[in-house]
């Protein structure tokens, strides 16, 4: 470590490279914390958790016993004596909303998320067909939305400045957008042929939503227009990641200069001659004759209108988890076929990264997490959590300590002293630091 610091001071190591090395070193040394204990009030499996995006201080959890809790993970509520005179910091729930609450959920809470820009509100989705918005300070329900089926996942855009929409994935085939500002449904997104198990907003655009369904399809939506604009197909692939923007611009400049030196036409293929009809109108002919080229039609047709592309699948089975990298350029997906795939968002192609074999849950959604630089992805794998290298697919480190299936995980790098990952399984909270 000291050698790397000296290299950084001498200018031998770039700032981003030094940051990534330190982060990777911390992650590889993560261990089950012996000095901090999150006391869970839940009596069932925990299905969702999220640390607030503003302060990185409050942890929100939702469980199958229809309860939701908020913890302060930076300031302990109590201390107890541990071994060798050490004190164990106890983090008890600040607030808990359960079935006893007058407006509480009746069945399992499948999703619990913070309002992106303020810890004063949080949102819960449940198998009782309701999405509810809560005031954190008064623990009172502000708005509720009645859905046509069980709610699997909810999501809000961390970038949104023009809308306050909650995207809801349910056992119904349609994705619904709930507007907090009006208290009504904004509109629905139709295209899936089975229930929608997971939803995720883009990290590069507030208008782009990604959904994964039980039909094995992953669809990209621009909520300003009708229909999806991209359906991922696992058979359409490219080898590895795209080169950086600077490298691509350099390659394009070289190819352009070579083309100019050879006197090639940079506008592509020569245009076909036009024939005049009797009325004097020009008619464009394809190279195949009178019939327009199929490729030309495919470019013009909307994916929702082209049956072969609209029926494409990303997994052999339900899509159970989605996570977009921080830069918004790549998408990670997990499916009930126990496969993890990395997709290039720009081209919509499978990058063919071969993630090592991992057993994944097949009957319910799982929550993925990525490190701050998006070089590692944390995946709940039955009773453990595995961190995979995003670009090679190799297992970087495995976290063991749970006795039951792990449903969700969250990685936070707000704490400058140590990085940690929290995982929840059957009513227990494990913190790694």
């Amino acid at each position: 470590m000291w050698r790397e610091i000296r290299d950084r001071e001498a200018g031998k190591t770039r700032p981003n490279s030094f940051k990534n090395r330190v982060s990777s070193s911390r992650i590889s040394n993560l261990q089950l914390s012996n000095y901090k204990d999150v006391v869970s009030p839940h009596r069932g499996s925990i299905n969702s958790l999220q640390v607030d995006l503003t302060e990185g201080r409050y942890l929100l959890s939702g469980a199958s016993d229809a309860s939701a809790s908020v913890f302060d993970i930076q300031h302990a509520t109590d201390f107890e004596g541990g071994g060798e005179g050490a004190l164990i910091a106890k983090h008890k729930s600040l607030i808990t909303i359960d079935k006893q609450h007058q407006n509480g959920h009746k069945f399992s809470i499948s999703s619990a998320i913070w309002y992106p820009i303020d810890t004063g509100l949080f949102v819960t989705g449940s198998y009782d067909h309701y999405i509810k918005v809560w005031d954190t300070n008064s623990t009172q329900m502000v708005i509720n939305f009645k859905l046509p089926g069980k709610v699997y996942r909810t999501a809000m855009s961390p970038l949104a400045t023009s809308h306050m929409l909650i995207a809801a994935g349910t056992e119904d085939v349609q994705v619904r957008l709930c507007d907090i500002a009006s208290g009504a449904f904004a509109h629905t997104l139709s295209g899936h042929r089975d229930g929608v198990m997971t939803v995720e907003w883009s990290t590069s655009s507030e208008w782009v939503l990604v959904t994964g369904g039980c039909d094995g399809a992953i669809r990209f939506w621009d909520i300003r227009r009708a229909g999806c604009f991209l359906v991922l197909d696992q058979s359409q692939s490219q080898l590895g990641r795209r080169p950086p923007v600077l490298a691509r611009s350099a390659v394009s400049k070289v190819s352009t200069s070579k083309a100019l030196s050879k006197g090639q036409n940079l506008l592509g293929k020569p245009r076909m001659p036009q024939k005049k009809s009797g009325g004097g109108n020009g008619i464009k002919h394809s190279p195949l004759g009178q019939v327009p080229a199929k490729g030309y039609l495919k470019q013009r047709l909307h994916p929702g209108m082209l049956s072969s592309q609209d029926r494409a699948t990303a997994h052999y089975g339900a899509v159970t988890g989605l996570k977009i990298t921080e830069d918004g350029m790549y998408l990670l997906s997990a499916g009930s076929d126990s496969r993890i795939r990395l997709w290039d968002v720009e081209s919509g192609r499978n990058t063919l990264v071969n993630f090592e074999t991992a057993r994944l849950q097949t009957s319910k959604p799982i929550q993925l997490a990525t490190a701050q630089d998006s070089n590692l992805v944390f995946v709940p794998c039955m009773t453990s959590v595995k961190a995979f290298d995003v670009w090679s697919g190799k297992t970087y480190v495995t976290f063991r300590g749970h006795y039951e299936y792990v449903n969700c995980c969250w990685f936070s790098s707000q704490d400058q002293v140590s990085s940690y990952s929290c995982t929840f399984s059957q009513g227990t909270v494990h913190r790694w630091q």
Side-chain angles (χ1 to χ4, degrees):
M1 176 60 71
W2 292 111
R3 181 180 178 181
E4 292 179 354
I5 293 176
R6 286 195 297 268
D7 290 344
R8 174 68 192 97
E9 290 177 346
K12 297 180 180 179
T13 305
R14 292 178 177 270
N16 287 339
S17 177
F18 175 75
K19 176 185 174 182
N20 293 338
R21 288 181 186 179
V22 173
S23 176
S24 299
S25 176
R26 288 181 176 180
I27 293 172
S28 62
N29 293 323
L30 285 177
Q31 295 179 352
L32 194 61
S33 176
N34 295 322
Y35 304 103
K36 291 188 177 183
D37 184 17
V38 181
V39 183
S40 172
H42 303 298
R43 296 183 179 180
S45 61
I46 299 173
N47 300 320
S48 175
L49 70 154
Q50 184 184 31
V51 177
D52 72 277
L53 304 178
T54 54
E55 300 178 61
R57 175 179 176 181
Y58 298 104
L59 177 67
L60 174 65
S61 63
S64 60
D65 61 351
S67 64
S69 297
V70 176
F71 306 87
D72 187 341
I73 56 177
Q74 291 186 3
H75 298 88
T77 56
D78 194 9
F79 291 90
E80 289 185 4
E84 300 180 358
L87 292 177
I88 300 177
K90 296 287 185 177
H91 298 263
K92 297 180 181 180
S93 64
L94 302 180
I95 61 171
T96 299
I97 299 173
D98 54 17
K99 289 181 179 180
Q100 306 303 321
H101 192 282
Q102 59 179 353
N103 295 316
H105 288 288
K106 304 304 179 184
F107 302 120
S108 171
I109 293 179
S110 55
S111 179
I113 58 172
W114 285 107
Y115 185 63
I117 59 174
D118 187 9
T119 56
L121 292 175
F122 65 90
V123 182
T124 57
S126 171
Y127 282 5
D128 63 4
H129 302 191
Y130 278 95
I131 291 177
K132 299 185 178 184
V133 181
W134 303 87
D135 186 308
T136 309
N137 298 312
S138 64
T139 65
Q140 295 300 313
M141 185 186 69
V142 180
I143 309 171
N144 69 332
F145 300 91
K146 180 70 166 66
L147 280 299
K150 295 178 181 178
V151 179
Y152 291 130
R153 273 289 178 260
T154 58
M156 294 190 72
S157 173
L159 306 176
T161 58
S162 305
H163 64 78
M164 301 171 63
L165 298 178
I166 305 170
T170 68
E171 62 181 352
D172 186 49
V173 296
Q174 293 180 323
V175 180
R176 285 172 169 78
L177 301 179
C178 313
D179 190 359
I180 295 180
S182 64
F185 294 107
H187 52 279
T188 59
L189 307 175
S190 302
H192 284 285
R193 292 175 173 78
D194 206 341
V196 181
M197 294 193 76
T198 179
V199 293
E200 181 86 359
W201 287 94
S202 171
T203 54
S204 58
S205 172
E206 64 176 301
W207 306 109
V208 176
L209 177 68
V210 188
T211 60
C214 297
D215 55 358
I218 297 177
R219 295 174 179 268
F220 283 72
W221 314 80
D222 186 332
I223 63 173
R224 297 169 296 183
R225 56 179 285 189
C228 66
F229 66 87
L230 177 63
V231 183
L232 298 186
D233 187 351
Q234 57 186 315
S235 64
Q236 300 294 323
S237 60
Q238 67 184 39
L239 189 58
R241 63 194 295 186
R242 277 181 284 145
V245 176
L246 294 178
R248 280 187 288 167
S249 61
V251 171
S252 63
K253 287 180 180 179
V254 171
S255 61
T256 302
S257 62
K258 288 183 178 180
L260 287 173
S261 62
K262 293 180 179 180
Q264 295 178 350
N265 184 6
L266 299 179
L267 298 178
K269 295 181 179 180
R271 297 177 62 182
M272 297 297 296
Q274 296 184 1
K275 294 183 179 180
K276 296 250 181 163
S277 63
N281 296 324
I283 301 176
K284 294 183 180 179
H285 294 273
S286 68
L288 300 178
Q290 300 287 342
V291 182
K294 291 184 178 180
Y296 179 68
L297 282 178
K298 286 185 178 181
Q299 286 182 347
R300 295 188 60 188
L301 284 177
H302 191 277
M305 300 168 61
L306 193 61
S307 60
S308 61
Q309 187 173 352
D310 188 55
R311 294 182 179 273
T313 59
H315 285 272
Y316 294 114
V319 179
T320 55
L322 293 174
K323 185 65 179 179
I324 295 182
T325 57
E326 189 177 5
D327 56 14
M329 296 174 64
Y330 295 91
L331 171 70
L332 288 148
S333 66
S336 59
D337 55 0
S338 288
R339 293 289 185 269
I340 303 169
R341 292 193 170 92
L342 178 68
W343 305 85
D344 188 322
V345 172
E346 182 182 5
S347 64
R349 294 177 178 269
N350 180 8
T351 60
L352 296 179
V353 174
N354 184 22
F355 288 89
E356 293 182 355
T357 305
R359 290 184 60 197
L360 306 179
Q361 292 197 60
T362 60
S363 59
K364 62 190 304 184
I366 59 175
Q367 183 177 333
L368 311 180
T370 55
Q372 190 174 18
D373 55 5
S374 298
N375 286 329
L376 293 175
V377 57
F378 299 87
V379 182
C381 300
M382 308 308 278
T383 59
S384 64
V385 176
K386 291 187 177 182
F388 294 97
D389 186 290
V390 170
W391 311 115
S392 67
K394 295 181 179 179
T395 303
Y396 187 77
V397 63
T398 301
F399 303 103
R400 294 183 174 88
H402 289 284
Y403 297 102
E404 300 288 345
Y405 290 166
V406 181
N407 299 325
C408 48
C409 60
W410 183 270
F411 179 85
S412 175
S413 58
Q414 294 287 339
D415 189 353
Q416 297 300 318
V417 178
S418 60
S419 300
Y420 63 88
S421 172
C422 298
T423 58
F424 283 55
S425 61
Q426 297 289 343
T428 60
V429 181
H430 286 183
R431 173 176 174 138
W432 311 82
Q433 68 175 34

